[in-house]
Amino acid sequence: QKPGLELAVVSVPSYACQRHTPLLHHNITLTDALSILAENAELGENEGRGVAFRRAAALLKSLPQEVRGAEQLRGLPCLGEHSLRVIKEVLEDGVSHEVETTTHSEQFKAMKALTGIFGVGAKTADRWFKEGIHTPSDLQRSGHTLNRAQRAGLQYYDELNLPVTKSEAVAIGQIVERAVHAVLPGAEITLIGGFRRGKQTGHDVDFLITHPDEGREEGLMPKVVSWLEAQGFLLYQKTTGNSYLESKEGPARPASNMDRFERCFSIFRLSTDNEGREIQTGNGPRSWRAVRVDLVVSPYSQFPFALLGWTGSKLFERELRRWAVHEKAMTLSSHALYDRKRTLYLRASSEEEIFAHLGLEYIPPCDRNA
Ligand code: DGT
Ligand code: MG
């Protein structure tokens, strides 16, 4: 028996939310290749294709050992024809021709650079690319009218594309805590997103804010933002009160809840004095850097759903919702879990209870890195 042949015998469940997916895994070369193809599909607004590559990559991330040969993949779920072809190529030749062509393509490079500007999505980037704009500098020179987010995104481009470290996330957390407690003592602040899953760096820092007395959290965001602005901590902010309405997910909520889920997309001005680090800019060095920060406020009764929904990974979230609908006839969102057969909302006071309602083994945040 070849080493590792037992992989194929172990049965691996097909939904990522049924599996433990640690941050560090054994198949980086393969998942990197598939992630590039996923990214390319997403940039080309081919969502279905993107998800197929992401699912294949997530399956490989959950395997207990390195895949050395294609025969080890027999019987495993989530591996479509295209993904299998790419995996086999990488296993045999060390690289995939399609991945190489993609990473070297002008279009992929330009789309990545342009969508790397805060406030720029795939549609806008594609329009600019077709006009011959390939880089942030091209955009700057083009004289295009940009919105406030895009202007900030361009201004802080280099810094916002620098990974945010865990210690920077902690420092931001202390500022957010001061702000929140100044305007609402007793409010609770939780670090969510990738850092809650144990990542050491991130593209932004995400926080969820709530208060044990339901209702006290209403109208909190504008007050927090005013405090942060007055103290000079914000370079940019946009607060939305109805992000839930705009999203397609989830059951319809009672009208009274509509504007309760507040979200703030911001750019913080974080001092780098503590680390003795200087940021190099076009105008010389300075002792602060720009950091993307997302703040979300949730009513206490929805907190476990918000916590689960904002911890990620994005694919893990997608798989949870898919599992809920297709296997349980339930609708899961960051606000609630609805049982469509019994036509009622299921309450939960912890993430564990939501997994239990869904008939899933509890997966801790550190194993949601699908
Ligand atoms: P990164 O890139 O290091 O920041 O990685 P993450 O996993 O922190 O990704 P991020 O910050 O884009 O999002 C964190 C999680 O929050 C993500 O897994 C799904 C969730 N999320 C992000 N945007 C939305 C949204 O608009 N609505 C809802 N319901 N969830 C969202
Ligand atoms: Mg994040």
Side-chain angles (χ1 to χ4, degrees):
Q1 189 180 345
K2 285 187 199 166
L5 204 67
E6 63 275 16
L7 252 185
V9 185
V10 175
S11 96
V12 179
S14 67
Y15 287 84
C17 56
Q18 296 173 287
R19 308 188 296 250
H20 290 257
T21 313
L23 195 56
L24 300 174
H25 63 88
H26 311 278
N27 291 289
I28 299 277
T29 316
L30 295 175
T31 58
D32 279 356
L34 292 168
S35 298
I36 291 196
L37 299 184
E39 202 177 357
N40 191 44
E42 287 156 3
L43 290 171
E45 293 189 83
N46 192 337
E47 200 188 342
R49 200 179 161 94
V51 171
F53 287 129
R54 297 260 177 232
R55 279 207 196 112
L59 182 280
L60 296 173
K61 290 179 193 173
S62 76
L63 296 178
Q65 65 196 80
E66 188 186 350
V67 174
R68 294 222 176 81
E71 72 282 358
Q72 288 174 284
L73 301 170
R74 226 173 296 133
L76 292 177
C78 310
L79 303 175
E81 199 187 318
H82 196 157
S83 295
L84 268 177
R85 200 163 68 232
V86 173
I87 293 168
K88 282 179 187 161
E89 223 186 319
V90 175
L91 288 174
E92 283 161 25
D93 309 338
V95 286
S96 140
H97 179 71
E98 188 181 358
V99 172
E100 291 297 288
T101 310
T102 303
T103 45
H104 291 109
S105 100
E106 250 344 281
Q107 181 159 7
F108 180 72
K109 284 191 277 189
M111 289 295 287
K112 261 192 83 119
L114 296 175
T115 54
I117 304 170
F118 173 63
V120 178
K123 265 197 186 66
T124 307
D126 184 60
R127 204 175 62 234
W128 288 339
F129 175 75
K130 284 176 179 143
E131 291 172 22
I133 296 168
H134 290 196
T135 65
S137 320
D138 290 347
L139 178 63
Q140 193 107 55
R141 280 191 298 268
S142 74
H144 268 292
T145 309
L146 303 176
N147 64 32
R148 212 163 53 82
Q150 295 163 344
R151 287 201 300 274
L154 206 48
Q155 184 175 357
Y156 302 111
Y157 183 78
D158 291 334
E159 285 158 77
L160 294 183
N161 281 289
L162 222 58
V164 183
T165 64
K166 182 73 200 264
S167 63
E168 285 170 334
V170 170
I172 299 270
Q174 287 163 353
I175 297 168
V176 172
E177 197 166 309
R178 270 167 63 202
V180 171
H181 286 160
V183 300
L184 182 62
E188 295 168 7
I189 300 111
T190 310
L191 183 60
I192 49 173
F195 287 110
R196 183 161 182 255
R197 301 195 308 275
K199 281 179 69 177
Q200 290 303 307
T201 61
H203 99 281
D204 67 359
V205 196
D206 311 285
F207 294 98
L208 180 58
I209 305 161
T210 191
H211 193 287
D213 299 333
E214 183 112 357
R216 294 285 299 278
E217 82 291 344
E218 273 181 69
L220 177 61
M221 196 70 91
K223 290 182 203 156
V224 171
V225 167
S226 297
W227 190 95
L228 288 167
E229 255 170 353
Q231 305 276 324
F233 284 120
L234 293 183
L235 297 165
Y236 167 91
Q237 69 83 18
K238 185 181 160 73
T239 304
T240 56
N242 57 352
S243 58
Y244 181 60
L245 262 190
E246 287 163 15
S247 76
K248 291 183 213 100
E249 69 193 53
R253 282 187 310 151
S256 63
N257 274 351
M258 256 167 22
D259 50 12
R260 282 211 201 151
F261 225 74
E262 296 175 299
R263 183 174 179 183
C264 176
F265 303 87
S266 72
I267 301 176
F268 266 55
R269 179 190 188 283
L270 179 67
S271 165
T272 53
D273 283 339
N274 285 348
E275 298 168 53
R277 191 153 69 103
E278 283 190 333
I279 297 293
Q280 303 304 322
T281 73
N283 304 319
R286 55 170 155 73
S287 60
W288 57 268
R289 69 161 290 193
V291 180
R292 274 273 300 115
V293 177
D294 276 359
L295 305 176
V296 187
V297 174
S298 131
Y300 204 64
S301 60
Q302 296 175 19
F303 178 78
F305 297 98
L307 184 62
L308 179 59
W310 286 87
T311 294
S313 69
K314 282 195 188 86
L315 185 77
F316 191 90
E317 303 295 339
R318 182 186 268 272
E319 292 280 278
L320 271 176
R321 294 193 297 264
R322 194 167 69 92
W323 167 272
V325 170
H326 293 293
E327 307 296 330
K328 296 285 153 184
M330 292 180 185
T331 315
L332 174 68
S333 76
S334 297
H335 299 268
L337 179 62
Y338 183 71
D339 185 325
R340 299 203 288 203
K341 278 191 280 198
R342 291 189 282 165
T343 64
L344 51 82
Y345 285 92
L346 299 170
R347 297 199 164 276
S349 56
S350 66
E351 285 183 321
E352 282 86 345
E353 285 180 31
I354 304 173
F355 280 89
H357 281 316
L358 289 167
L360 289 168
E361 176 200 342
Y362 176 68
I363 308 287
C366 64
D367 283 337
R368 296 181 202 160
N369 288 293

